[in-house]
Amino acid sequence: MVPAWLWLLCFYIPQAEVQAAELHVEVPENYGGNFPLYLIKLPLPSKDAEGQIVLSGDSGVAAEDLFSVDRESGFLMVTRALDREEKAEYQLQVTLETEDGRVLWGPQSVTVHVKDENDQVPQFSQAIYRAHLSQGTKPGIPFLFLEALDEDAPGTANSDLRFHMLSQAPAQPAPHLFLLEPHLGALALSPQGSLEHALKGPYQLLVQVKDMGDQVSGHQATATVEISILENTWVPLEPTHLAENLKVPYPHVIAQVHWSGGNVHYHLDSQPPGPFDVDSEGKLHVTRELDRETQAEYLLQVRAQNSRGEDYAEALELHVVVMDENDNAPVCLPSGPSIKIPELSPPGTEVTRLSAEDADVSGSPNSHVVYRLLTPDLEEGAEGRSFELDPTSGTVTLGTIPLQAGQNILLQVLAIDLAGAEGGLSSTCEVAVVITDINDHAPEFTTAQIGPVSLPEDVEPGTMVATLMATDADLEPAFRLMDFAIEAGDTEGIFGLDWEPDSGHVQLILRKNLSYEAAPHHKVVVVVQNVEELVGPGPGPGATATVTVLVERVTPPLKLDQESYEASIPVSTPAGSLLLTIQSSDPTNRTLRFSLVNDSEGWFCIKEVSGEVHTAQTLQGAQPGDTYTVLVEVQDADEPHLSTSATIMVHFLKAPPVPALTLAPLSSQHLCTPRQDYGVVVSGRGEDPYLASGHGPYSFSLGPNPTVQRDWQLQPFNDSHAYLTLALHWVEPGEHMVPVVVHHNAQTWQFLVRVIVCRCNVEGECLRKVGHLKGMPTKLSAVGVLVGTLAAIGFFLILIFAHLTLARKKDLDQPADSMPLKAAV
Ligand SMILES: *[C@@H]1O[C@H](CO)[C@@H](O)[C@H](O)[C@H]1NC(C)=O
Ligand SMILES: *[C@@H]1O[C@H](CO)[C@@H](O)[C@H](O)[C@H]1NC(C)=O
Ligand SMILES: *[C@@H]1O[C@H](CO)[C@@H](O)[C@H](O)[C@H]1NC(C)=O
Ligand SMILES: *[C@@H]1O[C@H](CO)[C@@H](O)[C@H](O)[C@H]1NC(C)=O
């Protein structure tokens, strides 16, 4: 195996012969030695090789003349001196070719550089420079730039130029008035020169340019600079007034500056930036219309500068004032929410102060705004108007015509500038005004008199009696809120009021029971007033209303304490016995009339007023076990149409065994005749412990004997006692056994009361027969006893009479014999 590197070597060598690297060679310019000058040995094949050298150069160069190749040595040669300024570099190609043009070797490129020699002299661009220098130019600011050219290779010392000033003529007033910057050739006034205000001129300067930089050696050239000194025309500018919205062709010249020195460029700055510029001749222009309202003043700065943008002198300032034109109409300030003015505000009350702003210059007529009221307009024939406007201040006040609450008014005011003069600009300002309500109306009832309202006495508390309606002419809901009160006619608090807070209705409500007896009619005075405080005069008569209420009497229907009555009586019940009492269930005082309707047997009777039912006679024909029904009719005495009825069922019982009438007569008692005002007390109990037991009232009646009933009268005295008196004026004196029937606890029994009737003496006492008395005294003692007794009796009688007289006075209308009856009820 052949190693890889060996293969590479085999192929590399022939190729390296073909593509040989480009060769470089340097030849000094203006070579002063012998020619031909060997430059470089070319790597030609051995000289035995066939073929001939072919040398070709870049176009236009007669390479064959200048260069050749020595076939023997293989050296490239130059045949004569080269000039870099003519051609600085040659591109050559060398080949070895056969006669028939086959390339045996090459091509080989060779670059020949010509090395510069300082063989060129610098040249000023002009032989004479003429410069204009303005007085006032700042020192150090170049006003002229000298130019010179050296054709030697750029970037080498051979072409590195320096400028120098050789002389200044005249050297007055000072020798070094100018400075020449050596590298750039910039000519400027020296600080010394600028001090000389009276610099006149002209001046002539001799200037030099030299190559080889700062080395002493080198080529040099000179030129003349003629400087003429010119008067300074760079003078301050007067402020310029420019009308806004000026209609002229633009750009429009507004000022002119001039820098009298040469080589000047003008530059303009505007503060704030504005439509201004300056042209090369120093004319300042405004390039379009100005608007004072956008910017009223500008400060322009114009500079005169050299080609490097350095100021020759301080900038000139031009103050541009934009003059106002009446190009802005007054503008109304945005009106806020509606202005609220309370009604009844006095004339002259300030409503609002209009303010229109005019953007034109303040203090001038252009912004002098006056006002004129457009609406509401003056009405025809009206004495005044509702609003007044001060044209100068714009103050709107209330006029003499009053406004109504709730009115919405749109004030339209014309704001005119130029103080309202012809041609002024205007705009319309609008202000909304709302007249607000005040509580100047008291609420009033729509009706002052209500009723009469008739109400039955028994109407229930809580019943609505009447509805009163009140109105309030105010608009504001809060001013319409009402309070109601009863002012008069209801000391008892029988009535009350009920109302919804935000309604104008109030209800008169019954709070307590009505009573016809207490008051058959009422006049209730209701007042209404605002909840909010009232402004202005107080409430009028409409604030009260009177409700008349008539109470209708209601008589409750007649009702008895029982629906039907029952009683059980023995058939032997004597006449005059009380069965029962019919009463009204109504505790109130009403007078009733009782009557029996169909007591066909006539057994019973009823007391017309008291309702007591008695047996009218002995119950002849009544059988035990029978029931007898009687209808009772009851009428109201005051209102006869009110009536009712009830039945009484009487059950007849067997007659109880009649107690033996042999009951021991009670101890005799005395009554004198003719009848006196006293009787005998009869007790129902006591005689028979068995019968007398138990509770309840005893009722007494006389036995059924008609004579007895004619002669005697029995009056209940209290629950257990009765009072037995003479019924007739005169009863035969003597001993009487009076039968008394007692009812108690459904028991009936009878006993005899022994009464001795005697003649009355003068004192209404019994005249007793002395002989009848036991242990009769002597006549004398009897007379003494009699006299003493009579005296004592007389004394007691006086007491009794006095008592009775008093008692009678009390019960004047009642018959004497009805008094004990009352006690029996
Ligand atoms: C009012 O009358 C009713 C029936 O008429 C009665 O029940 C009530 O007790 C009475 N009230 C007063 C306070 O008198
Ligand atoms: C009924 O009237 C009488 C007198 O007219 C009176 O004394 C009595 O108190 C009255 N009774 C009632 C319940 O009103
Ligand atoms: C009296 O009237 C009542 C009711 O109409 C009846 O029940 C009753 O029998 C009647 N009595 C006599 C004695 O007709
Ligand atoms: C009834 O009157 C008599 C005689 O005055 C007396 O003794 C008796 O206590 C009285 N009875 C009652 C219940 O008052």
Side-chain angles (χ1 to χ4, degrees):
M1 280 283 286
V2 181
W5 61 268
L6 201 61
W7 281 106
L8 268 176
L9 192 66
C10 291
F11 284 102
Y12 177 71
I13 292 165
Q15 279 204 336
E17 276 187 1
V18 176
Q19 292 193 337
E22 184 180 330
L23 297 172
H24 291 269
V25 66
E26 199 169 64
V27 183
E29 183 185 14
N30 307 324
Y31 180 66
N34 293 328
F35 286 94
L37 173 65
Y38 289 84
L39 296 179
I40 189 170
K41 183 172 172 29
L42 300 173
L44 285 169
S46 67
K47 52 185 172 254
D48 327 326
E50 295 191 17
Q52 62 182 57
I53 299 286
V54 176
L55 182 66
S56 62
D58 40 354
S59 59
V61 177
E64 295 80 15
D65 294 353
L66 277 175
F67 299 96
S68 65
V69 177
D70 179 31
R71 183 68 183 88
E72 292 288 313
S73 61
F75 266 94
L76 177 67
M77 299 174 297
V78 61
T79 54
R80 58 174 173 84
L82 296 180
D83 182 8
R84 194 204 65 85
E85 283 71 35
E86 185 186 328
K87 188 164 173 66
E89 195 178 86
Y90 297 88
Q91 295 289 341
L92 302 179
Q93 285 204 327
V94 184
T95 51
L96 187 62
E97 298 175 6
T98 58
E99 281 183 6
D100 54 356
R102 194 166 53 92
V103 175
L104 297 174
W105 176 88
Q108 171 70 56
S109 297
V110 181
T111 305
V112 178
H113 301 278
V114 183
K115 187 165 185 249
D116 186 46
E117 192 200 26
N118 190 14
D119 60 343
Q120 296 295 315
V121 177
Q123 297 289 324
F124 273 109
S125 59
Q126 299 173 28
I128 298 172
Y129 291 91
R130 291 190 173 82
H132 300 288
L133 177 63
S134 171
Q135 288 175 341
T137 303
K138 286 199 274 187
I141 304 297
F143 59 91
L144 178 67
F145 290 90
L146 300 177
E147 283 174 40
L149 184 69
D150 188 308
E151 291 187 354
D152 283 320
T156 65
N158 295 346
S159 64
D160 186 10
L161 302 181
R162 293 289 184 275
F163 296 90
H164 298 286
M165 194 187 309
L166 300 180
S167 66
Q168 168 201 324
Q172 301 296 333
H176 299 293
L177 297 174
F178 303 96
L179 289 177
L180 182 58
E181 204 278 327
H183 291 87
L184 299 170
L187 187 63
L189 208 55
S190 72
Q192 203 172 9
S194 73
L195 288 175
E196 302 297 339
H197 296 294
L199 208 59
K200 284 268 163 22
Y203 287 92
Q204 202 166 54
L205 307 180
L206 186 59
V207 291
Q208 180 203 58
V209 64
K210 184 188 83 62
D211 61 13
M212 296 304 286
D214 294 324
Q215 295 175 36
V216 181
S217 62
H219 301 290
Q220 58 89 21
T222 58
T224 307
V225 180
E226 288 182 5
I227 301 171
S228 48
I229 308 289
L230 297 177
E231 198 181 333
N232 188 4
T233 54
W234 196 246
V235 287
L237 296 166
E238 287 296 311
T240 299
H241 289 79
L242 275 178
E244 61 174 333
N245 311 321
L246 192 61
K247 306 293 181 204
V248 289
Y250 286 90
H252 173 66
V253 177
I254 54 170
Q256 162 107 49
V257 293
H258 183 247
W259 179 254
S260 53
N263 189 25
V264 64
H265 302 276
Y266 296 106
H267 179 86
L268 183 135
D269 287 320
S270 169
Q271 197 60 41
F276 301 99
D277 65 15
V278 61
D279 65 9
S280 59
E281 296 171 8
K283 286 180 178 153
L284 305 185
H285 299 106
V286 57
T287 56
R288 54 180 164 81
E289 290 180 23
L290 297 176
D291 180 25
R292 190 202 68 84
E293 285 72 39
T294 310
Q295 181 62 38
E297 292 187 6
Y298 295 89
L299 185 63
L300 307 185
Q301 286 193 320
V302 199
R303 298 161 198 280
Q305 296 178 331
N306 66 12
S307 52
R308 291 202 316 209
E310 294 164 320
D311 290 0
Y312 284 123
E314 292 299 324
L316 289 187
E317 292 194 340
L318 177 61
H319 193 198
V320 176
V321 178
V322 186
M323 287 185 301
D324 186 44
E325 192 187 48
N326 190 22
D327 58 344
N328 284 284
V331 175
C332 307
L333 293 185
S335 61
S338 298
I339 294 165
K340 294 184 165 57
I341 299 293
E343 63 171 333
L344 302 183
S345 295
T349 303
E350 181 170 327
V351 176
T352 184
R353 180 183 288 262
L354 286 162
S355 180
E357 286 190 348
D358 193 305
D360 288 320
V361 69
S362 65
S364 76
N366 292 348
S367 64
H368 185 181
V369 179
V370 295
Y371 302 91
R372 191 178 298 154
L373 187 61
L374 296 179
T375 53
D377 207 357
L378 186 63
E379 282 177 29
E380 290 235 347
E383 294 266 311
R385 49 200 308 172
S386 41
F387 292 97
E388 298 288 350
L389 171 69
D390 181 56
T392 313
S393 66
T395 306
V396 179
T397 52
L398 288 182
T400 48
I401 295 183
L403 292 158
Q404 302 295 320
Q407 265 187 287
N408 279 302
I409 301 135
L410 186 67
L411 291 177
Q412 289 187 311
V413 175
L414 195 66
I416 321 164
D417 63 12
L418 294 184
E422 186 117 350
L425 300 174
S426 67
S427 54
T428 305
C429 308
E430 296 192 337
V431 177
V433 178
V434 176
I435 307 302
T436 58
D437 196 23
I438 61 168
N439 192 15
D440 60 335
H441 290 97
E444 296 195 336
F445 285 110
T446 49
T447 318
Q449 295 289 338
I450 290 162
V453 179
S454 289
L455 285 179
E457 201 177 10
D458 60 352
V459 75
E460 287 203 2
T463 304
M464 199 259 290
V465 178
T467 299
L468 289 80
M469 211 171 80
T471 56
D472 191 311
D474 285 315
L475 298 175
E476 190 68 32
F479 299 153
R480 299 165 63 90
L481 293 184
M482 304 172 194
D483 250 344
F484 299 91
I486 295 179
E487 194 184 53
D490 186 33
T491 49
E492 307 288 326
I494 295 172
F495 298 96
L497 297 173
D498 195 5
W499 70 94
E500 291 290 318
D502 50 356
S503 82
H505 297 74
V506 61
Q507 293 187 331
L508 186 67
I509 306 281
L510 194 64
R511 291 261 187 259
K512 293 184 181 170
N513 286 347
L514 287 171
S515 164
Y516 176 84
E517 284 78 13
H521 60 83
H522 299 269
K523 273 187 185 296
V524 184
V525 180
V526 182
V527 288
V528 61
Q529 62 179 27
N530 270 136
V531 175
E532 294 283 322
E533 198 183 337
L534 190 68
V535 178
T544 56
T546 306
V547 184
T548 307
V549 178
L550 299 183
V551 182
E552 285 172 16
R553 173 165 214 167
V554 173
T555 335
L558 268 185
K559 215 167 156 226
L560 303 177
D561 60 348
Q562 293 176 30
E563 285 184 2
S564 64
Y565 297 83
E566 281 187 56
S568 300
I569 51 168
V571 290
S572 59
T573 304
S577 300
L578 178 70
L579 249 65
L580 43 85
T581 306
I582 295 180
Q583 283 175 308
S584 158
S585 65
D586 197 348
T588 55
N589 249 353
R590 54 201 306 180
T591 322
L592 302 181
R593 292 285 177 266
F594 300 90
S595 58
L596 292 178
V597 176
N598 59 353
D599 180 16
S600 49
E601 299 291 339
W603 281 332
F604 302 104
C605 61
I606 191 160
K607 293 270 172 68
E608 196 188 5
V609 175
S610 69
E612 286 174 14
V613 179
H614 290 89
T615 45
Q617 52 176 318
T618 51
L619 306 171
Q620 281 173 355
Q623 296 299 320
D626 278 1
T627 300
Y628 184 71
T629 307
V630 193
L631 197 64
V632 180
E633 196 178 76
V634 187
Q635 263 191 344
D636 192 307
D638 299 324
E639 279 156 284
H641 64 275
L642 288 175
S643 68
T644 186
S645 59
T647 54
I648 307 171
M649 286 170 73
V650 184
H651 305 284
F652 294 119
L653 306 172
K654 242 166 65 178
V658 178
L661 293 180
T662 56
L663 276 174
L666 295 173
S667 58
S668 62
Q669 299 185 63
H670 295 81
L671 290 176
C672 74
T673 186
R675 190 178 71 188
Q676 299 296 319
D677 286 329
Y678 59 89
V680 170
V681 173
V682 180
S683 171
R685 76 162 74 109
E687 284 79 14
D688 182 343
Y690 168 73
L691 291 172
S693 67
H695 304 286
Y698 293 77
S699 65
F700 300 86
S701 54
L702 290 170
N705 187 332
T707 314
V708 172
Q709 296 205 346
R710 186 199 62 200
D711 291 353
W712 297 92
Q713 194 171 26
L714 196 56
Q715 296 165 354
F717 184 68
N718 58 20
D719 276 358
S720 59
H721 289 73
Y723 201 48
L724 184 67
T725 54
L726 296 182
L728 297 178
H729 185 68
W730 176 262
V731 172
E732 201 58 36
E735 189 186 70
H736 293 258
M737 296 304 285
V738 182
V740 171
V741 178
V742 183
H743 296 265
H744 178 64
N745 287 349
Q747 300 279 346
T748 306
W749 68 92
Q750 185 173 333
F751 61 89
L752 297 175
V753 179
R754 178 171 173 267
V755 182
I756 293 167
V757 177
C758 56
R759 281 173 198 278
C760 292
N761 59 12
V762 187
E763 290 82 19
E765 271 288 318
C766 263
L767 267 180
R768 294 183 188 175
K769 287 204 174 82
V770 172
H772 285 193
L773 301 171
K774 281 180 201 164
M776 191 175 23
T778 62
K779 201 170 184 177
L780 187 63
S781 69
V783 169
V785 168
L786 188 65
V787 168
T789 307
L790 287 177
I793 287 169
F795 177 68
F796 283 116
L797 280 178
I798 288 167
L799 279 181
I800 287 164
F801 272 121
H803 177 77
L804 285 177
T805 313
L806 275 176
R808 187 165 293 188
K809 252 181 198 164
K810 266 187 196 165
D811 307 300
L812 262 183
D813 354 30
Q814 304 202 353
D817 51 2
S818 70
M819 179 186 69
L821 280 178
K822 192 177 147 198
V825 172

